[in-house]
Amino acid sequence: MAHIQGQGAPAAGAAPIGSQYCVCKVELSVSGQNLLDRDVTSKSDPFCVLFTENNGRWTEYARTETAINNLNPAFSKKFVLDYHFEEVQKLKFALFDQDKSSTQLDEHDFLGQFSCNLGVIVSNKKITRPLLLMNDKPAGKGLITIAAQELSDNRVITLSLAGRKLDKKDLFGKSDPFLEFYKPGDDGKWMLVHRTEVIKYTLDPVWKPFTVPLVSLCDGDMEKPIQVICYDYDNDGGHDFIGEFQTSVSQMCDARDGVPLEFECINPKKQRKKKNYKNSGIIILRSCKINRDYSFLDYILGGCQLMFTVGIDFTASNGNPLDPSSLHYINPMGSNEYLSAIWAVGQIIQDYDSDKMFPALGFGAQLPPDWKQYFILLIITDGVISDMEETRHAVVQASKLPMSIIIVGVGNADFAAMEFLDGDSRRLRSHTGEEAARDIVQFVPFREFRNAAKETLAKAVLAELPQQVVQYFKHKNLPPTNSEPA
């Protein structure tokens, strides 16, 4: 297996290569109970078909195996889908009694179906619902049970390394060593996945501990070989090769605090030429820890409740609701920008609220006092803020609490104040200079989405929410309620 040495100079403070996280994948398990019996001399032979909806059309996604002579099947084949919190992902589960070897569904007897959004399944973790016929009447006493489980490998590995007596490569100094980590690629070559920082003027470097996703380092395979190469940094990019060794995550896990693991750093050319060659130094793995980096989906499946509150701007700047120029005016089509924003976001967030009842607050109302769940305050406003200093202070204080604030600006006002509260470019501070603990505000101007589908607005509005939820619980060092150790 070949590798290319000298992949360019490591930039100071650069993000680790290969540290990006994978899309969350959800595995759905399906079972049926009390299915209709369509066979005369035996029981039904059911299988389940999953359909996904796109632009109003249902498309077959996948099928389970067929359960022979079984009215209470538990299918072993699972459905695996990408999970997107900010999108409405419509699903339909249809069960059929297999009568022929044909792949055409109209060749098989229909046993019933159930439709819902993926968010409903995820937020409940497991649901049981009645099966319906095409005319929406019950399919006898038939039931379907669907359970969700996250598939993404969200383990992270933290490594702490040092070097001892590395080869001297600089003519008038020592060496400027750094390490590169590689994993086998699909093309048979080594693929660079992480590069440490450079430690200047030393043969005994101590690198800062670093953390990378396990799937980036070894594709989640603890036994997969990992190539580690040590270089001496040169400004011209022609880094001098010091030595290399191979290991695996399984082997590195033997290193614990106080019980380091040592690897001989070998230069194959020197090893072939010099009979008394031992090594080009020692790389010391001081500690190796594997933990789970909990995702938003982990917290939702772990029982985290999202409590949504809608705050609506009723101030005078919106105009008289009876006047057609008012942002609150209900036109003959039965809508306005406030209603459109509520509908666009509501169709997503309703899946994560058990009673589908959302508190609606006018400006100045009191927020819920107990803070036992994570709250999302959706504010719809025309953008005029008359008490900016107090608002900044309130947002900074709220950044310490289990809360996110989503602001949708309606109308054509100047939204500079809202963009300032968003704090994407810099951390928000109160008028006293106190810095927000985290970014909890997401602002979206409705006017940019007037001619777009409502789903587009919802995706933009909810884009940062999963990250904000995870940031709060990680800052408080709170794992999901029913999480298991790594």
Side-chain angles (χ1 to χ4, degrees), residues 385-396 421 428 431:
I385 298 180
S386 58
D387 52 356
M388 186 61 180
E389 287 193 357
E390 291 85 349
T391 301
R392 286 167 56 191
H393 180 73
V395 171
V396 169
L421 292 176
L428 181 69
H431 63 280

Side-chain angles (χ1 to χ4, degrees), residues 70-216:
N70 196 337
L71 301 184
N72 300 281
F75 300 106
S76 62
K77 183 178 178 180
K78 317 298 183 184
F79 298 124
V80 178
L81 303 98
D82 290 339
Y83 168 74
H84 302 280
F85 165 77
E86 71 279 7
E87 297 179 14
V88 175
Q89 296 176 265
K90 296 181 179 180
L91 307 177
K92 180 165 64 177
F93 301 84
L95 285 95
F96 297 85
D97 170 30
Q98 181 171 318
D99 287 331
K100 303 177 181 179
S101 60
S102 172
T103 59
Q104 299 297 317
L105 292 178
D106 56 10
E107 297 286 327
H108 308 285
D109 292 327
F110 179 63
L111 299 177
Q113 64 184 18
F114 167 70
S115 301
C116 70
N117 296 337
L118 179 58
V120 171
I121 305 172
V122 168
S123 63
N124 289 278
K125 194 172 181 180
K126 185 177 183 179
I127 62 173
T128 298
R129 297 290 188 272
L131 289 169
L132 301 177
L133 299 174
M134 294 297 186
N135 57 8
D136 288 336
K137 291 184 178 181
K141 296 180 180 180
L143 300 173
I144 186 171
T145 298
I146 309 162
Q149 179 178 348
E150 183 178 13
L151 273 189
S152 302
D153 189 342
N154 53 16
R155 292 173 295 172
V156 294
I157 183 169
T158 301
L159 301 175
S160 176
L161 295 113
R164 185 175 71 242
K165 296 183 179 179
L166 298 179
D167 282 358
K168 177 178 174 295
K169 290 293 185 179
D170 294 342
L171 183 62
F172 300 107
K174 294 185 178 179
S175 287
D176 306 318
F178 67 93
L179 299 175
E180 289 187 342
F181 289 74
Y182 294 80
K183 68 178 178 181
D186 294 335
D187 58 358
K189 296 181 180 180
W190 290 101
M191 175 182 174
L192 178 63
V193 294
H194 182 78
R195 180 187 289 129
T196 68
E197 79 278 16
V198 176
I199 307 296
K200 291 283 190 176
Y201 316 120
T202 182
L203 303 182
D204 303 294
V206 176
W207 291 282
K208 295 178 182 178
F210 63 90
T211 300
V212 294
L214 198 63
V215 71
S216 295

Side-chain angles (χ1 to χ4, degrees), residues 28-43:
L28 302 182
S29 301
V30 178
S31 61
Q33 301 86 43
N34 303 318
L35 301 184
L36 292 173
D37 191 354
R38 297 296 194 186
D39 293 345
V40 178
T41 58
S42 62
K43 297 178 180 178

Side-chain angles (χ1 to χ4, degrees), residues 426-447:
R426 62 183 182 277
R427 189 65 63 89
L428 181 69
R429 293 179 180 270
S430 71
H431 63 280
T432 63
E434 182 181 1
E435 188 178 78
R438 57 197 177 91
D439 177 18
I440 65 169
V441 177
Q442 169 75 341
F443 169 72
V444 174
F446 184 88
R447 61 186 173 224

Side-chain angles (χ1 to χ4, degrees), residues 226-450:
I226 296 170
Q227 178 94 315
V228 183
I229 304 178
C230 184
Y231 289 104
D232 167 44
Y233 174 83
D234 284 335
N235 287 327
D236 61 4
H239 313 306
D240 296 321
F241 176 72
I242 294 178
E244 64 187 8
F245 64 92
Q246 284 193 19
T247 183
S248 65
V249 171
S250 177
Q251 182 182 11
M252 290 193 293
C253 284
D254 291 337
R256 295 288 186 270
D257 290 331
V259 186
L261 198 62
E262 296 189 353
F263 299 92
E264 288 189 301
C265 199
I266 302 297
N267 185 325
K269 289 184 179 179
K270 284 190 175 182
Q271 192 178 44
R272 288 193 296 268
K273 290 181 179 179
K274 298 181 179 180
K275 292 183 178 180
N276 60 346
Y277 175 82
K278 293 181 63 177
N279 56 58
S280 293
I282 301 295
I283 300 299
I284 306 162
L285 180 59
R286 305 168 83 178
S287 67
C288 172
K289 297 179 181 178
I290 296 179
N291 297 297
R292 291 188 67 185
D293 189 19
Y294 295 113
S295 68
F296 174 72
L297 187 53
D298 278 317
Y299 285 103
I300 295 299
L301 291 174
C304 174
Q305 296 291 313
L306 301 184
M307 307 296 291
F308 292 90
T309 301
V310 181
I312 302 175
D313 183 355
F314 290 112
T315 56
S317 60
N318 287 274
N320 188 333
L322 300 178
D323 189 331
S325 64
S326 169
L327 291 169
H328 281 297
Y329 178 72
I330 304 295
N331 64 35
M333 299 300 292
S335 184
N336 57 37
E337 291 190 3
Y338 278 93
L339 291 175
S340 296
I342 293 172
W343 174 256
V345 179
Q347 66 174 337
I348 302 288
I349 63 179
Q350 67 172 343
D351 292 339
Y352 301 86
D353 192 287
S354 57
D355 62 6
K356 306 293 186 284
M357 300 289 287
F358 307 112
L361 309 176
F363 282 5
Q366 294 296 312
L367 293 173
D370 54 6
W371 305 112
K372 293 180 180 178
Q373 288 126 336
Y374 196 93
F375 288 86
I376 295 92
L377 175 60
L378 171 64
I379 298 177
I380 308 174
T381 177
D382 69 347
V384 178
I385 298 180
S386 58
D387 52 356
M388 186 61 180
E389 287 193 357
E390 291 85 349
T391 301
R392 286 167 56 191
H393 180 73
V395 171
V396 169
Q397 297 307 309
S399 69
K400 308 169 189 175
L401 303 171
M403 178 180 183
S404 289
I405 301 173
I406 298 169
I407 304 175
V408 178
V410 298
N412 297 307
D414 180 1
F415 290 123
M418 298 302 172
E419 292 169 349
F420 178 80
L421 292 176
D422 194 317
D424 280 340
S425 58
R426 62 183 182 277
R427 189 65 63 89
L428 181 69
R429 293 179 180 270
S430 71
H431 63 280
T432 63
E434 182 181 1
E435 188 178 78
R438 57 197 177 91
D439 177 18
I440 65 169
V441 177
Q442 169 75 341
F443 169 72
V444 174
F446 184 88
R447 61 186 173 224
E448 295 182 5
F449 299 88
R450 281 176 181 150

